[in-house]
Amino acid sequence: MNNRLSALKHRNYALLWVGSVVSNIGSWMQMVAQGWYVYNLTGSAIDLGMVGVARSVPMLLLPLVAGVYIDRMPRMLLLKATQSANFVVSFALATLVVLNLAPLPVMVVFALLSGCLNALDAPTRQALVPDLV
């Protein structure tokens, strides 16, 4: 196996890697769909930017603080919790959109929730790597 891919021969790391790919694709799809929905809903680039800021600011600020706590917690349990919470938030948002109950403030709140969860999820995944390889 190529040296760049040799870490994938460790089963647990390969599972983490595949899970990360799937999770990131889901997050990106949600981000694009949320932006598309907000722009179609409001027609405003400012509103679209507000949703993007609500999602991005937690991912800029929280990982610095979260890393301290992540090192003191069971990482696998925290990863399962963040992924489960991400699923619940995504499912709730999809339900509200389908029922046409998602005005702009709701979209901003859900973007903020997603950003906070991703701000915990990313450092947790990175802290798991040395444990698995």
Side-chain angles (χ1 to χ4, degrees), residues 5-133:
L5 302 177
S6 62
L8 292 175
K9 69 182 174 186
H10 299 277
R11 180 183 179 275
N12 289 337
Y13 179 75
L15 289 172
L16 177 70
W17 189 84
V18 169
S20 295
V21 168
V22 170
S23 177
N24 281 329
I25 289 171
S27 292
W28 297 332
M29 286 172 52
Q30 180 180 346
M31 188 172 25
V32 169
Q34 204 169 9
W36 176 82
Y37 180 79
V38 166
Y39 191 74
N40 281 338
L41 182 68
T42 66
S44 169
I46 291 174
D47 292 340
L48 179 61
M50 187 169 41
V51 171
V53 167
R55 185 179 178 95
S56 300
V57 167
M59 291 191 295
L60 290 172
L61 301 177
L62 291 180
L64 299 172
V65 177
V68 173
Y69 295 104
I70 289 167
D71 286 339
R72 298 179 181 149
M73 299 176 75
R75 294 176 187 130
M76 194 58 87
L77 181 64
L78 184 58
L79 184 63
K80 289 176 184 177
T82 58
Q83 286 299 293
S84 298
N86 260 329
F87 171 76
V88 169
V89 166
S90 297
F91 187 78
L93 179 59
T95 302
L96 291 174
V97 167
V98 167
L99 296 175
N100 204 21
L101 298 172
L104 180 63
V106 169
M107 298 304 287
V108 171
V109 168
F110 274 89
L112 187 66
L113 284 171
S114 293
C116 290
L117 289 169
N118 287 335
L120 289 172
D121 187 69
T124 302
R125 287 181 188 281
Q126 292 169 357
L128 266 173
V129 171
D131 295 345
L132 298 178
V133 177

